[in-house]
Amino acid sequence: MTFARIKAYMQENGIKQSWLAKQINMSPSQLSEVLSGKRPLYADDLAKICESLHVSSDTFLFPESA
């Protein structure tokens, strides 16, 4: 699941949910719901996350090719 890959990436790189939420204009509780799979991850939100983390969307969508 894409949200699990994002969460793992954040943990591996010491990125806090509160920081990322601020970067993408989402409340921390909304981001928490996305990262736990309780809320859908929309393409525009994924794009904002990738831009904030300076990674390609392939990092999360196709991790074996990134």
Side-chain angles (χ1 to χ4, degrees), residues 17 21 24-42 45 49:
Q17 285 187 23
I24 64 171
N25 268 351
M26 186 180 281
S27 75
S29 61
Q30 288 174 318
L31 180 58
S32 179
E33 289 177 354
V34 168
L35 296 177
S36 65
K38 295 178 183 174
R39 182 184 193 113
L41 175 61
Y42 295 109
D45 292 330
I49 289 170

Side-chain angles (χ1 to χ4, degrees), residues 4 6 8 14 19 24 27 29-30 34 40 49 51 56 58-59 61 63:
I6 295 169
W19 177 85
I24 64 171
S27 75
S29 61
Q30 288 174 318
V34 168
I49 289 170
E51 183 178 334
S56 165
D58 289 352
T59 303
L61 296 174

Side-chain angles (χ1 to χ4, degrees), residues 52-65:
S52 296
L53 298 177
H54 304 287
V55 298
S56 165
S57 59
D58 289 352
T59 303
F60 305 122
L61 296 174
F62 310 105
E64 59 280 348
S65 65

Side-chain angles (χ1 to χ4, degrees), residues 1-14:
M1 301 296 244
T2 303
F3 61 85
R5 292 182 192 125
I6 295 169
K7 193 172 184 175
Y9 180 90
M10 291 172 61
Q11 290 172 342
E12 292 167 6
N13 292 282

